[in-house]
Amino acid sequence: INAEYMGCATTRSAGGIRHQFGVPENVQMGLFGANFMANIDQHLRPAGSAEPVSVNWREHGYLFLTNSPEGAEQLRRNHATQIQEGGNTALFTQHQLHLRFPWMHTADLHTGCQSHTMEGWIDPYLLLQAFRRKAIEQGVSYVNSSAVSFKQATTGRIEAVELSNGQIFTPGTVVCCVGAASGQLAEKVGLEIPVGPRKRTIFTFLCKQPLDDFPFTIDPTGTYVRPDGPSRYICGKGPDVDPPSDPDDLEPDHHLWEEIWHTLAHRVPAFEEVKLVGAWSGHYDYNWPDQNAIIGTHHKVPNLIFATGFSGHGLMQSPAAGRAVSELVLEGRFTTIDLSRMHPQRFELGRLLPEPNIV
């Protein structure tokens, strides 16, 4: 690991927590994550500590917008899945959106879907540090190094891992959770895992005009925006052309701001007058065939568990993914949420699991 987490995707994310997905497993993981965030002090406060654990959980919801009948139909299908899996979302017509969000330009919209509870955002860095402190308390040792080679038995099982600092471990189980580098690590044990880095830039700006009841909003263009404190907002959008990126490139793509700002000013007229105050970049661990998490083992390397390819959903799904991995280690099967369809062999078997609600 990198002990400073300088290029870590978690600390460079928008911190969103949602269950507005179209794949049932993603809805379940989103709900699990939201419940975890709402009760994080119970889960992650170190024993004997008098200081409560907080990740600045803001349960202000998500709002997905569409401007076409086709988009509305997709929102309806997603909504039906969310309700079936225990979610709490509601569909709104253009007129209802106008009444609910008077600060929003809605004339060109068709339908919206908003959550009332169990969605919002957190401070990603606080979550990462809370996980780290609790892990150390429970006996986890952190090593500031990286895996350079693996010794495998004829069965494919990993017998030894050599690190860049010269240490050699003989593990019972190995977990691949190195984000955008997962594809490269998999190659070292003879596997092809379709995961690599895709760069994303987040901008932060100020708007003096108060805007009440502002959820994490996703425009039909894919542009998103959410509050980040009084008068402050963060926003971003995936690029139209999305090639593999250099994971060491953390320079913001400033040229994207003009397009994003025009979109935001159209959707929220108050954003016609804003002040850009910062930007940063990070990288998705992007699973390019179906943009869904890869969780489970591959039969060719039976003691290697993958938890990767989240494609922008890693932070919100991390509590459920961590639980799932621990179940595989301890019991050899999923017991809380059945994530069997997310196994890494689905690509070679032609059993893709595409997620329609990608930001």
Side-chain angles (χ1 to χ4, degrees), residues 307-331:
T308 186
F310 293 92
S311 304
H313 310 136
L315 181 138
M316 67 183 73
Q317 294 183 339
S318 61
R323 181 61 174 262
V325 168
S326 68
E327 291 169 353
L328 290 177
V329 172
L330 297 173
E331 304 182 47

Side-chain angles (χ1 to χ4, degrees), residues 33-248:
N35 184 68
F36 187 92
M37 300 305 167
N39 299 283
I40 197 162
D41 186 55
Q42 300 176 23
H43 298 298
L44 297 185
R45 187 194 293 202
S49 173
E51 184 177 351
V53 173
S54 172
V55 291
N56 292 340
W57 169 232
R58 298 291 183 262
E59 196 172 11
H60 297 318
Y62 263 70
L63 174 64
F64 280 83
L65 301 170
T66 184
N67 55 7
S68 69
E70 296 78 16
E73 180 56 33
Q74 183 64 65
L75 281 187
R76 282 191 284 270
R77 288 195 296 267
N78 294 345
H79 172 256
T81 299
Q82 293 151 19
I83 297 302
Q84 178 180 325
E85 299 300 328
N88 184 14
T89 57
L91 293 169
F92 295 92
T93 65
Q94 180 271 331
H95 180 65
Q96 290 170 325
L97 289 170
H98 173 70
L99 296 177
R100 190 172 183 84
F101 304 106
W103 41 262
M104 182 186 295
H105 175 69
T106 61
D108 60 340
L109 295 177
H110 189 291
T111 305
C113 188
Q114 186 189 16
S115 54
H116 298 289
T117 59
M118 306 298 280
E119 289 192 325
W121 53 88
I122 64 166
D123 183 317
Y125 186 76
L126 292 180
L127 176 65
L128 186 149
Q129 291 300 325
F131 272 135
R132 180 183 171 92
R133 286 193 299 270
K134 189 65 175 179
I136 291 173
E137 180 202 43
Q138 295 185 323
V140 173
S141 297
Y142 281 79
V143 180
N144 188 14
S145 188
S146 58
V148 295
S149 65
F150 298 84
K151 179 184 178 181
Q152 294 175 258
T154 55
T155 61
R157 184 178 180 87
I158 296 173
E159 295 182 332
V161 181
E162 181 181 2
L163 303 185
S164 56
N165 64 4
Q167 287 183 280
I168 297 177
F169 288 92
T170 55
T173 302
V174 177
V175 179
C176 175
C177 53
V178 294
S182 296
Q184 292 178 322
L185 186 143
E187 290 177 356
K188 295 180 180 180
V189 294
L191 297 178
E192 292 185 12
I193 299 297
V195 175
R198 296 294 187 275
K199 188 178 179 182
R200 297 291 184 268
T201 296
I202 295 177
F203 298 93
T204 180
F205 64 89
L206 301 177
C207 176
K208 293 183 179 180
Q209 183 174 329
L211 302 172
D212 297 329
D213 190 24
F214 202 117
F216 198 130
T217 302
I218 294 86
D219 187 76
T221 61
T223 300
Y224 66 83
V225 60
R226 72 157 175 87
D228 193 41
S231 304
R232 182 181 292 266
Y233 297 81
I234 66 173
C235 63
K237 179 184 183 295
D240 296 328
V241 179
D242 198 17
S245 53
D246 177 358
D248 294 325

